[in-house]
Amino acid sequence: MICVSITEATHQEALQAIERCAPAADAIELRMDLIAGGDLPQLVAAARCASNRIKVIVTCRRKEESLIPGAGVPVTKKNEMTKIAKMKLLKQAVAWGVDFIDIELAAGEKAIAQLQSFCRKQKSLTRIIVSWHDTSKTPSLTKLKEIFWSCVKTGADLVKIVPYACRMSDNLKVLSLIAYAKAQNRDIIAMCMGEEGKISRVMASQWGSHLGFAVLPGVKQSAPGQLTVQIMKQIEQLMKGSFHIARPVPAISDALTFVLLGNPVRHSLSPLMHNTALAAMKVEGHYSAFCVSDAGAAMAGIRGMNIRGASVTIPLKTEVMEYLDEIDADALALGAVNTIVNDSGKLIGYNTDWLGLMQALKNKISLSGKTFVIIGAGGTARAAAYGIKKEGGQPIIVNRNQEKGKALAAQFDCPFYPLADIGKVQADALINATSVGMYPQIHRSPVDAVIPANYQVVVDVIYNPLKTKLLRDAEAKGCRIFSGLEMFVHQGAEQLKLWTGREAPLALMKKTVRERLEKFES
Ligand code: NAP
C-alpha cells in the first residue's frame, strides 16, 4: 500500500492535494502539524468523497521527530500544537472514523492508553499506530528491536519505525527489522528517511512493511528521500510482474561472510554444517575456515572485512576476548568465547558450547537433581560444569592432573576425584570432556571398560568417531549413550541463531554431519 503525506501549508492547498492524489494513492496521511488552519472534519470528508477505498491516517507529529536537516517541510511556531490540543485532535479523528491515528512512542504510555480507551468507548474501528522516528541516524538493529518491542508493549495496532539512513547499510538494518517483526507476526511500517534511505522506501513494502510513503510530483517531501507516488507504483508493478518474494529474505544486517578461526581447522566439519544450513535457510552467505595464530589480527580482519560472524576454536577461545567490544555474561563466566557476532562493527562474544551441550543433554535426561561425573578440566569440562549447575544438577570433576581438576571443582563448589579413583565415584551420568578416544586414537578410552556400568547415561563430547571406545563400552554395559555430534550440531545451531536471528535446520545439520562422518569411517 502506498500512502501520500498531505503536508501542504494551508487548508485549501491540502484539499487540492487530496483530490490530486486520490486516484493513485492507497492511503493519505493528514499531517495536521503542518497544515496551518486545517479543518480535520472537512479534510476527512474530502478524502472520503475523492475515493471510497482510500485509507485516512491522522498525524500530529511533534517537532523533535519532524525537523530533519535538509527536509523541505519546516515546522513553524504558528502550527506547533500543545499536547492537549494534539490529544483533542486525535480523539476528534477517532470520532470522525478515520482508519488510523498516529501517535509517537515518546508521547508516553498514559497518552497512548487514553486514546485506546477512547477508541474502546466509541466502539471505533480506528487503529492506533505507535511511531518512532530518528531524524539524524539509524541505531543498531538490536536497538531498533528494543524500540519495536517498546511500541508493541503499548498495545499498538501497528508499529511505525523510521530512522534516518546515513549510509546504505542502514537500509539493511531496517529491512531486517521488518523481517523480524513479520517473524513475530506483528504488523510494521518501517523505512529509512534520507537520500541514502531511498532504497528502503522501494524495498520496504516488498519486504512486508504495511505501508510505503510517497509524495505527489512537484510537491515538497514530508521526509527526505521520498519518491513520487507514480514511481513507487511503477516499481511495485515491476516487482509484481518480474518476481514475487513470498517470504522476507533473511534478517541479516551487514556482511554475509562467516568464518571459523583456530588452529588446526583443516579437518573441521563446521564449514560443511554451516554452509548446508545457510543454503537451507536461504541466507546468501558463505562460511570458511581460516587457520589463525594471531587473535588480534583476526579480530581486525573481522572488522575490516565486515565479516558478520565467526566461530572460534582452539587455541583462541580465551585470547580473542581482549579484542571484543562486548562479552555476553555466560561467556564471561566461562572465560571462553566460541562465537563472535559483528553488529555493525561492534564485536560481541558469546559461548554456545555450554548451550549446545545442555540442549543435547536435556533431550536425553532431566538435569535437575541429577549427578554428573565430568572427566576433564579444560574448556569443555568447564562448559559442562557451568551448564549442569545452571540447570540444577550436581557436577563431580574427575581429572588426570589433580591441580587443574581441584581448581575447576573449587570454581563450581563441587567434589573432585583423581582419574585413577573414578571407580569409587557414584553418579547418574558420565561425560567425557577430554580428547581421549578422538580420531585417530579410536581404540582409546579415558576409563577402563568396566567403569561405564556405574552410570545410566554416558556422553562423549567427541564426535569423530561417532561412537568412541567409551561409548562402545557403555553400550555393551546397557547404558544409554550419546555422542558429541548432538553437542556439535546444537552449538552450531545456536551460532546461526545469533548471526541471523533465525532458527537453524537442526535435523538437516545433524544428518549432513553424520553422513560425512559415516562416510569417513567406512
Ligand atoms: P582442553 O581444554 O585441552 O582440555 C582437555 C582435557 O583433556 C584436559 O583436562 C586434559 O587433562 C584431558 N586429557 C587430555 N589427554 C588426556 C589423557 N591422555 N588422559 C586423561 N586426560 C586427558 O580441551 P577442550 O577444549 O576442553 O576439548 C576437549 C574435547 O572436547 C576435545 O576433544 C574437543 O574436540 C571436544 N569438543 C567437542 C565439542 C562438540 O561440539 N562436540 C565442542 C568443544 C570441544 P589434564 O588436565 O590432565 O591435562
Side-chain angles (χ1 to χ4, degrees):
M1 283 217 295
I2 295 175
C3 177
V4 173
S5 283
I6 306 295
T7 59
E8 274 58 25
T10 67
H11 177 74
Q12 274 313 316
E13 287 170 16
L15 284 174
Q16 286 161 12
I18 291 170
E19 220 164 273
R20 277 202 295 142
C21 73
D26 305 300
I28 57 161
E29 182 195 38
L30 296 172
R31 282 287 301 271
M32 299 308 290
D33 53 316
L34 300 175
I35 308 167
D39 180 322
L40 183 66
Q42 267 194 34
L43 293 171
V44 175
R48 299 289 185 225
C49 279
S51 160
N52 57 6
R53 54 160 195 92
I54 208 161
K55 305 272 183 223
V56 178
I57 304 171
V58 172
T59 305
C60 281
R61 184 78 57 243
R62 61 191 199 115
K63 73 171 189 301
E64 291 86 339
E65 298 195 36
S66 180
L67 277 177
I68 301 144
V73 188
V75 178
T76 62
K77 269 251 180 272
K78 194 172 62 175
N79 53 29
E80 218 180 298
M81 292 172 96
T82 64
K83 279 184 188 167
I84 294 171
K86 276 184 186 180
M87 289 295 282
K88 197 172 156 199
L89 191 128
L90 290 174
K91 284 179 184 172
Q92 195 185 16
V94 173
W96 274 88
V98 301
D99 301 278
F100 297 93
I101 52 170
D102 178 324
I103 182 159
E104 294 98 342
L105 179 64
E109 282 176 15
K110 210 170 142 196
I112 296 166
Q114 249 186 49
L115 291 172
Q116 285 163 338
S117 152
F118 185 78
C119 286
R120 275 194 301 275
K121 275 189 202 141
Q122 296 276 316
K123 296 194 174 36
S124 163
L125 294 178
T126 302
R127 296 169 74 199
I128 300 178
I129 302 171
V130 175
S131 63
W132 179 92
H133 305 77
D134 188 330
T135 59
S136 62
K137 63 179 186 310
T138 299
S140 69
L141 181 56
T142 311
K143 181 75 192 158
L144 288 173
K145 284 181 187 171
E146 273 172 36
I147 295 161
F148 165 76
W149 283 114
S150 300
C151 293
V152 169
K153 272 191 208 137
T154 64
D157 295 305
L158 194 52
V159 172
K160 182 183 178 196
I161 294 181
V162 185
Y164 187 92
C166 301
R167 53 190 72 83
M168 282 301 275
S169 58
D170 288 340
N171 292 294
L172 294 175
K173 290 185 208 164
V174 165
L175 294 175
S176 298
L177 181 71
I178 297 171
Y180 175 78
K182 289 295 186 198
Q184 315 291 325
N185 283 326
R186 301 278 178 180
D187 245 355
I188 189 168
I189 300 169
M191 73 213 74
C192 286
M193 289 181 265
E195 279 306 305
E196 291 284 355
K198 262 185 184 162
I199 191 74
S200 74
R201 292 184 179 278
V202 172
M203 293 307 298
S205 43
Q206 303 298 322
W207 231 257
S209 174
H210 195 87
L211 278 183
F213 281 77
V215 286
L216 286 169
V219 167
K220 284 176 184 172
Q221 302 162 325
S222 64
Q226 279 182 346
L227 300 162
T228 65
V229 64
Q230 282 77 3
I231 288 180
M232 291 277 280
K233 282 273 172 188
Q234 277 168 9
I235 294 170
E236 204 174 73
Q237 296 291 314
L238 193 70
M239 298 290 229
K240 274 188 193 148
S242 56
F243 64 89
H244 176 66
I245 301 175
R247 289 180 56 198
V249 189
I252 297 207
S253 60
D254 283 321
L256 300 170
T257 311
F258 307 94
V259 293
L260 166 65
L261 307 171
N263 186 9
V265 291
R266 205 152 56 97
H267 297 295
S268 170
L269 291 176
S270 292
L272 171 75
M273 176 174 76
H274 281 312
N275 284 323
T276 304
L278 289 169
M281 292 163 82
K282 299 201 169 25
V283 174
E284 274 187 46
H286 194 76
Y287 182 102
S288 323
F290 288 90
C291 186
V292 165
S293 51
D294 182 338
M299 294 307 104
I302 289 185
R303 289 180 208 275
M305 291 190 282
N306 206 14
I307 286 165
R308 169 68 184 156
S311 309
V312 183
T313 187
I314 292 167
L316 303 175
K317 285 186 185 182
T318 304
E319 211 183 322
V320 292
M321 293 173 80
E322 68 176 282
Y323 302 97
L324 304 177
D325 300 306
E326 208 175 291
I327 296 171
D328 155 83
D330 292 314
L332 209 55
L334 284 163
V337 159
N338 82 324
T339 309
I340 296 171
V341 176
N342 181 355
D343 188 1
S344 305
K346 181 170 159 190
L347 301 190
I348 311 166
Y350 297 89
N351 189 307
T352 67
D353 279 337
W354 78 275
L355 264 182
L357 180 58
M358 286 313 109
Q359 274 161 11
L361 280 173
K362 279 196 263 183
N363 286 343
K364 306 273 171 180
I365 182 171
S366 72
L367 303 180
S368 180
K370 297 277 181 354
T371 46
F372 294 80
V373 164
I374 301 166
I375 312 176
T380 308
R382 180 174 293 109
Y386 180 76
I388 287 165
K389 269 254 161 175
K390 224 173 162 160
E391 295 289 338
Q394 172 64 57
I396 300 166
I397 306 296
V398 172
N399 196 44
R400 177 181 63 178
N401 179 315
Q402 297 200 27
E403 222 172 285
K404 275 171 69 183
K406 277 180 191 162
L408 184 63
Q411 192 186 339
F412 291 101
D413 192 23
C414 63
F416 165 77
Y417 291 85
L419 185 55
D421 290 347
I422 194 165
K424 298 176 188 165
V425 190
Q426 288 291 314
D428 296 303
L430 174 73
I431 302 174
N432 174 36
T434 75
S435 50
V436 184
M438 193 163 81
Y439 179 85
Q441 299 176 320
I442 59 169
H443 300 298
R444 293 192 59 204
S445 167
V447 293
D448 196 87
V450 296
I451 295 294
N454 298 339
Y455 305 90
Q456 289 165 22
V457 177
V458 175
V459 180
D460 207 322
V461 296
I462 294 167
Y463 57 87
N464 185 12
L466 280 166
K467 209 181 272 181
T468 56
K469 170 149 184 352
L470 172 70
L471 294 187
R472 295 196 299 276
D473 291 342
E475 196 171 39
K477 300 285 178 212
C479 309
R480 279 162 62 207
I481 58 165
F482 68 99
S483 89
L485 175 66
E486 307 273 345
M487 174 185 178
F488 179 62
V489 171
H490 277 284
Q491 65 78 30
E494 288 299 320
Q495 293 187 319
L496 284 163
K497 210 164 157 184
L498 287 167
W499 295 330
T500 68
R502 294 173 44 186
E503 292 297 329
L506 203 70
L508 174 70
M509 290 160 74
K510 194 165 154 183
K511 178 174 172 279
T512 306
V513 177
R514 178 184 287 282
E515 280 174 2
R516 176 61 62 89
L517 286 167
E518 281 168 352
K519 205 166 153 194
F520 178 73
E521 285 172 20
S522 64

